[in-house]
């Protein structure tokens, strides 16, 4: 199995999260929050890092930057 690295695909990840939530009959509020974190990571210039880079965004103070 080959592991790949690269950009966070916000659009693809958003689709996967939303599709999973719908398929499982889950509330979409949490999936919306996850998507917003990915969007924040992308806006912060972290899209070229692994998805775990979202943690860097969450460690930053909230509010307008």
């Amino acid at each position: 199995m080959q592991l790949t690295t690269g950009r966070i695909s916000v659009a693809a990840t958003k689709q996967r999260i939303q599709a999973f939530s719908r398929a499982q009959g889950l509330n979409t509020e949490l999936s919306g929050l996850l998507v917003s974190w990915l969007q924040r990571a992308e806006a912060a210039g972290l899209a070229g890092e692994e998805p775990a880079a979202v943690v860097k965004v969450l460690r930053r103070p909230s509010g307008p930057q």
Side-chain angles (χ1 to χ4, degrees):
M1 179 172 154
Q2 183 177 1
L3 298 176
T4 59
T5 60
R7 291 180 55 81
I8 298 170
S9 173
V10 174
T13 304
K14 178 181 176 180
Q15 289 175 337
R16 288 184 182 122
I17 289 171
Q18 290 173 334
F20 177 81
S21 295
R22 283 191 300 271
Q24 299 299 312
L26 300 174
N27 183 305
T28 58
E29 289 175 278
L30 180 57
S31 62
L33 178 61
L34 295 172
V35 168
S36 73
W37 289 343
L38 289 171
Q39 291 169 331
R40 286 173 52 192
E42 184 176 55
L46 300 172
E49 299 189 30
E50 291 295 311
V54 171
V55 173
K56 292 179 181 180
V57 172
L58 298 177
R59 287 183 175 156
R60 295 178 182 176
S62 61
Q65 302 292 316

